C-alpha cells in the first residue's frame, strides 16, 4: 500500500511540530545538562527530596531525548521516501498505527515478536 501525499504531508507537519515541542522542553530542562537541584537544606529529608527531583529530571530528559531521536528518524524516513515501511521485515506499517504513533518504525507483528507478545 502506497501512502498518499496528503497523508505524508500531514505526518511531516505533525512530526515537525513534535520536534519543535521536544526541543523546547529539552531546552527548558537545561538542554544536555541537568543541574543538580539544591534546596539549601541539609536534613535527610531535604537531601532525599533533592535526589528524587534530580532522578525525575534525568528520567524526563532521557525520555524526551529518545522521543526526539525517534521523531528525527521519522522525519528522515519521510525525506528518504521510506516512511511507513517496517525496518525489520520491509512490509508496510498500517496507517492506523502511524496515525496513533507517527514515529513507528516497525509493523505490529514485528513489534510483538520483538517484545515477545503473543
Amino acid at each position: 500500500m502506497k501512502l498518499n501525499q496528503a497523508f505524508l504531508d500531514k505526518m511531516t507537519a505533525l512530526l515537525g511540530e513534535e520536534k519543535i515541542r521536544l526541543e523546547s522542553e529539552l531546552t527548558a530542562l537545561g538542554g544536555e545538562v541537568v543541574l543538580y537541584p539544591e534546596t539549601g537544606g541539609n536534613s535527610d529529608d531535604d537531601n532525599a527530596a533533592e535526589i528524587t527531583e534530580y532522578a525525575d529530571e534525568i528520567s524526563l530528559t532521557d525520555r524526551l531525548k529518545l522521543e526526539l531521536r525517534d521523531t528525527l528518524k521519522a522525519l528522515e524516513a519521510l525525506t528518504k521516501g521510506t516512511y511507513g515501511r517496517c525496518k525489520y521485515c520491509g512490509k508496510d506499517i498500517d496507517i492506523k498505527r502511524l496515525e496513533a504513533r507517527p514515529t513507528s518504525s516497525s509493523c505490529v507483528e514485528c513489534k510483538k515478536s520483538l517484545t515477545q507478545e503473543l
Side-chain angles (χ1 to χ4, degrees):
M1 150 197 69
K2 177 106 169 108
L3 298 174
N4 67 42
Q5 192 59 47
F7 181 79
L8 293 173
D9 291 344
K10 175 183 168 185
M11 292 295 107
T12 300
L14 191 126
L15 288 163
E17 291 171 8
E18 183 68 357
K19 176 183 176 282
I20 291 168
R21 181 189 70 79
L22 291 166
E23 288 172 339
S24 174
E25 287 187 30
L26 278 167
T27 300
L29 288 172
E32 294 293 321
V33 179
V34 177
L35 300 176
Y36 189 86
E38 180 63 54
T39 62
N42 288 322
S43 73
D44 288 342
D45 289 339
D46 288 339
N47 291 335
E50 289 173 6
I51 291 168
T52 300
E53 184 178 342
Y54 180 66
D56 288 345
E57 286 184 15
I58 288 175
S59 298
L60 177 59
T61 301
D62 287 345
R63 184 181 58 79
L64 290 172
K65 286 178 184 177
L66 289 173
E67 287 179 27
L68 180 58
R69 181 203 64 197
D70 290 346
T71 300
L72 293 172
K73 284 183 178 181
L75 286 167
E76 182 181 342
L78 280 159
T79 301
K80 289 181 175 178
T82 59
Y83 182 77
R85 268 186 274 161
C86 179
K87 68 180 180 181
Y88 300 105
C89 70
K91 294 180 183 176
D92 291 333
I93 299 171
D94 188 69
I95 288 179
K96 290 183 181 184
R97 177 166 171 75
L98 292 172
E99 287 175 332
R101 189 171 182 272
T103 58
S104 294
S105 61
S106 62
C107 66
V108 172
E109 293 79 20
C110 287
K111 186 66 173 181
K112 283 183 180 180
S113 68
L114 289 169
T115 58
Q116 299 177 352
E117 293 178 24
L118 299 176

